[in-house]
């Protein structure tokens, strides 16, 4: 029998979880140490399995989810950028870069555009498909001239302070985009307008919507769901 990557990770995580649950019954404080150890172990496994050249391939005639593509956000209502209150939307690129950027949507659209039909994987077990248009994060890093200190990237938005940090290798994957278009149209508020992160190499909760900041960092800083017990690496 052969195991694909996702199945292997599920089995590995299940084995570790069993040990942790046993420890919880005996000593909750020891369980916390085990949880941290297990998370680090999972990250090493996933990082070792990750391949920067591995691509999510979807047939040209494969249908997209369209209106059925799920909508999700953590605010009580769909977040809306109000220029009258907040001014013109801008994407701020900062941190370990030589040239910080402040990009309007028009500025973003002038950068090299990539359009790709890829899968979207949710931690809940479902997946959906869409055609995304946007700018590779690697191109953004090139324009901003990310320094050697940039080992992680934090993506933050205006959805109730939502953010998630990524490892640099996943952020630099050629299919990791700052997307501003979906299925041939500009993003709608329901799907993260004006711009969002999208990549098939990470689970959905790592793909920050309603994006306002991209910060290159020497160390990671967790995330909205990662800080609540979800796996930090979140790879597919």
């Amino acid at each position: 029998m052969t195991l694909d990557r996702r199945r292997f990770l599920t089995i590995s995580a299940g084995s570790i979880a069993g040990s942790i649950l046993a420890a919880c019954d005996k000593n909750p404080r020891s369980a916390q140490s085990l949880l941290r150890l297990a998370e680090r172990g999972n990250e090493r496994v996933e990082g070792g399995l990750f391949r920067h050249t591995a691509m999510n391939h979807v047939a040209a005639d494969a249908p997209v989810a369209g209106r059925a593509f799920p909508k999700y956000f953590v605010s009580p209502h769909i977040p809306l950028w109000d220029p009258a209150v907040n001014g013109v939307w801008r994407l701020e690129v900062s941190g370990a870069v030589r040239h910080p950027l402040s990009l309007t949507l028009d500025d973003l659209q002038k950068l090299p555009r990539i359009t790709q039909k890829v899968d979207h994987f949710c931690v809940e077990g479902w997946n959906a498909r869409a055609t995304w248009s946007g700018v590779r994060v690697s191109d953004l890093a090139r324009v901003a001239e990310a320094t050697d200190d940039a080992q992680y990237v934090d993506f933050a938005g205006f959805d109730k302070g939502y953010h998630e940090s990524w490892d640099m290798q996943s952020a630099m994957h050629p299919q990791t985009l700052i997307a501003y278009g979906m299925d041939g149209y500009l993003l709608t508020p329901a799907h993260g307008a004006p711009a969002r992160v999208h990549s098939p190499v990470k689970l959905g909760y790592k793909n920050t919507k309603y994006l306002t900041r991209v910060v290159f960092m020497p160390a990671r800083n967790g995330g909205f769901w990662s800080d609540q017990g979800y796996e930090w690496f979140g790879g597919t």
Side-chain angles (χ1 to χ4, degrees):
M1 180 179 72
T2 60
L3 295 177
D4 64 22
R5 181 177 184 279
R6 297 181 80 192
R7 176 64 174 158
F8 172 77
L9 290 173
T10 300
I11 292 173
S12 299
S15 299
I16 295 171
S19 300
I20 292 171
L21 287 173
C24 284
D25 290 338
K26 297 176 182 178
N27 189 333
R29 187 169 296 175
S30 296
Q32 291 301 315
S33 297
L34 274 174
L35 282 167
R36 288 192 291 271
L37 179 63
E39 182 180 21
R40 293 296 185 184
N42 281 345
E43 288 173 23
R44 284 194 294 271
V45 171
E46 292 192 77
L49 289 171
F50 181 79
R51 294 292 179 269
H52 190 266
T53 55
M55 305 287 279
N56 178 251
H57 293 290
V58 173
D61 59 351
V64 296
R67 292 179 179 273
F69 197 99
K71 308 170 183 64
Y72 52 92
F73 41 86
V74 297
S75 297
H77 307 286
I78 294 176
L80 296 172
W81 184 268
D82 185 352
V85 176
N86 302 310
V88 175
W89 175 89
R90 289 180 176 273
L91 179 64
E92 306 291 340
V93 182
S94 63
V97 298
R98 293 184 178 88
H99 300 291
L101 305 173
S102 182
L103 304 171
T104 65
L105 184 57
D106 285 344
D107 294 332
L108 198 61
Q109 291 176 298
K110 290 174 184 176
L111 295 175
R113 183 172 71 175
I114 298 297
T115 296
Q116 60 186 23
K117 184 191 294 185
V118 293
D119 292 307
H120 175 95
F121 300 100
C122 181
V123 69
E124 296 174 346
W126 55 262
N127 66 288
R129 186 176 297 126
T131 300
W132 304 94
S133 295
V135 177
R136 285 182 173 134
V137 176
S138 59
D139 283 335
L140 209 59
R142 175 183 54 79
V143 174
E145 293 190 24
T147 67
D148 292 341
D149 291 339
Q151 298 299 310
Y152 298 88
V153 188
D154 188 71
F155 299 104
F158 60 93
D159 179 14
K160 204 176 179 180
Y162 197 102
H163 78 103
E164 283 288 341
S165 58
W166 290 36
D167 60 293
M168 190 70 167
Q169 190 178 22
S170 298
M172 295 300 102
H173 187 277
Q175 290 183 307
T176 300
L177 303 184
I178 302 300
Y180 48 75
M182 179 180 179
D183 296 338
Y185 300 92
L186 288 177
L187 282 178
T188 64
H191 290 113
R196 59 168 292 166
V197 181
H198 192 271
S199 179
V201 306
K202 293 292 190 187
L203 293 171
Y205 65 88
K206 298 294 289 186
N207 288 239
T208 302
K209 299 165 73 174
Y210 311 102
L211 195 63
T212 54
R213 298 192 310 280
V214 176
V215 184
F216 291 89
M217 309 175 297
R220 75 189 202 193
N221 67 340
F224 183 89
W225 289 115
S226 303
D227 293 345
Q228 298 182 58
Y230 282 59
E231 185 190 44
W232 175 82
F233 191 86
T236 59

